[in-house]
Amino acid sequence: MSSAPPVLAEIAEEPLITRYLRSWGPVAPLLLISGFGLMRQHTIRKPVSIEGIGLHSGKVARVTVAPAPPDAGVVFRVRATGERIPARPESVVNSHYATTLGVNATRIQTVEHLMAAAAGLGIDNIEIEVDGPEIPALDGSAKPFVALLAFAGRVQQSERRRMLSLPCPLRVGSAGRWIQIVPSDTFRISYTLDNDHPAIGTQVLSWSPTERSFVDEFAPARTYGFLRDLGLMRKNGLARGGSLDNAIVLGNSGALNGLRYRDEFVRHKILDLLGDLALLGRQIRGHVIARNGGHALNLELVLSVQRAVGLERRAAATASAAAADEAARDAARREGFVPAPGLAAI
């Protein structure tokens, strides 16, 4: 048995090629403790990288995930500019077909599967360097990202994990498309997906997350799309990297490339929702109940939760402090002063 599967590599190794994913079977060795319910924050043990084609951009991108200190959260960094984009609700600039984060003119598309993988494995603090416009689609699920993070290893940190409890029930959407969350002592997602396509129909699933169930039953669920919509989507700059290798493609009567689960569609909806909820940066105590949601509704719910618990005020204060620190560093550089390592807190 080899020490590492061919899909995974550390920084010093050759870039990863998406085609290796098709020849590699198991997701990854499970980590030893459950990601859900951990009391302490966690990061990864070592940097790891993966590359592939972006689902919507159609361009090659390489992602390097590295350890981060306690309370850092998930932060994306654009390799070309060095621009940092925290994975927070206020960083979302587009939620049409995927979750896109941005700051100023910088954009990173399709972050939800990587965010879901980190959340599902109980990883709170990581820095993600992105060389390209979009997180790679890989096989269209979170499975390759779970493998990547599991190979990196998980390290417990000193700070306690921050929990999020709701003061009252919240609901967004209307008619046949809505999401609500109600206070609870534990985290649970219940989802109903209705679609008149014969391969989908009505799919209902309720899930109380554990690490093993996430890895085995939800992370491998792939994104999906309809063949009839492909031309219009590509005309609008979407799905340019989509293929039978990274998405379930639905023809008139069924899936053109088979299913991993009979109800893979609702499983993927839950996966996307988990990734978007991770933008809150805290483990939620609540029961999320959804019907025919999507990234736009997911974001509405996230913003509603943020307002209800006052997180947007804290986020604004944190952003202001970070901007002040950066302005001070810029001023020091203009004056010819270079801060000494380790002296920033003095």
Side-chain angles (χ1 to χ4, degrees):
M1 183 174 179
S2 62
S3 59
V7 67
L8 301 173
E10 297 180 56
I11 300 301
E13 296 179 357
E14 290 297 313
L16 298 168
I17 307 300
T18 306
R19 65 174 180 269
Y20 289 156
L21 295 169
R22 294 196 288 270
S23 64
W24 185 60
V27 171
L30 285 176
L31 302 175
L32 296 179
I33 50 179
S34 172
F36 294 96
L38 294 175
M39 299 305 295
R40 299 286 177 182
Q41 294 180 32
H42 287 74
T43 187
I44 58 174
R45 187 175 302 278
K46 59 185 177 182
V48 285
S49 293
I50 199 164
E51 74 172 32
I53 302 294
L55 177 66
H56 293 299
S57 67
K59 297 179 180 179
V60 175
R62 180 178 174 86
V63 168
T64 299
V65 188
D71 292 326
V74 178
V75 178
F76 291 85
R77 182 167 63 84
V78 179
R79 180 177 174 84
T81 65
E83 193 108 50
R84 296 168 63 84
I85 307 175
R88 297 174 183 158
E90 56 270 20
S91 297
V92 178
V93 295
N94 194 317
S95 55
H96 186 58
Y97 284 102
T99 298
T100 300
L101 304 183
V103 61
N104 300 323
T106 302
R107 300 289 184 268
I108 299 175
Q109 287 181 281
T110 322
V111 301
E112 58 270 16
H113 298 168
L114 180 49
M115 292 291 294
L121 294 180
I123 295 170
D124 306 278
N125 305 302
I126 45 176
E127 179 163 304
I128 303 167
E129 181 186 82
V130 184
D131 189 3
E134 184 178 11
I135 303 299
L138 304 174
D139 73 345
S141 77
K143 176 180 175 179
F145 296 117
V146 167
L148 186 75
L149 296 174
F151 183 64
R154 185 172 59 200
V155 178
Q156 181 172 287
Q157 297 176 297
S158 59
E159 298 298 319
R160 293 182 67 84
R161 173 173 278 182
R162 295 168 295 174
M163 308 299 293
L164 191 155
S165 297
L166 296 168
C168 60
L170 302 168
R171 183 183 174 105
V172 297
S174 60
R177 297 176 61 87
W178 51 264
I179 310 177
Q180 67 181 36
I181 185 169
V182 297
S184 175
D185 292 334
T186 58
F187 179 48
R188 186 177 188 88
I189 297 177
S190 298
Y191 209 111
T192 300
L193 175 64
D194 289 320
N195 192 288
D196 59 7
H197 192 283
I200 302 176
T202 298
Q203 300 187 358
V204 181
L205 197 57
S206 189
W207 177 49
S208 293
T210 65
E211 184 176 288
R212 181 172 291 277
S213 66
F214 170 72
V215 170
D216 292 344
E217 301 171 20
F218 290 88
R222 295 162 295 167
T223 192
Y224 62 94
F226 299 90
L227 186 61
R228 64 174 182 259
D229 298 334
L230 185 58
L232 181 60
M233 290 182 70
R234 287 184 170 169
K235 186 177 179 180
N236 291 325
L238 298 167
R240 290 180 173 175
S243 73
L244 295 174
D245 292 328
N246 59 26
I248 304 169
V249 180
L250 291 164
N252 291 333
S253 59
L256 302 184
N257 49 343
L259 298 176
R260 293 177 175 175
Y261 312 93
R262 178 188 56 80
D263 56 354
E264 187 168 359
F265 306 98
V266 71
R267 290 173 188 265
H268 188 78
K269 285 289 191 179
I270 290 174
L271 179 71
D272 278 349
L273 178 56
L274 181 67
D276 288 337
L277 288 172
L279 293 168
L280 289 165
R282 301 190 178 204
Q283 186 169 342
I284 298 170
R285 288 178 175 150
H287 185 183
V288 182
I289 306 165
R291 187 179 191 94
N292 298 328
H295 291 294
L297 268 182
N298 295 350
L299 179 61
E300 281 190 50
L301 181 69
V302 164
L303 292 171
S304 182
V305 171
Q306 189 186 47
R307 288 190 295 269
V309 299
L311 284 177
E312 81 282 6
R313 293 190 294 274
R314 299 175 206 174
T318 300
S320 296
D325 288 344
E326 185 62 30
R329 285 193 291 269
D330 287 343
R333 284 192 288 269
R334 288 194 298 271
E335 294 295 328
F337 296 108
V338 179
L343 297 182
I346 296 178

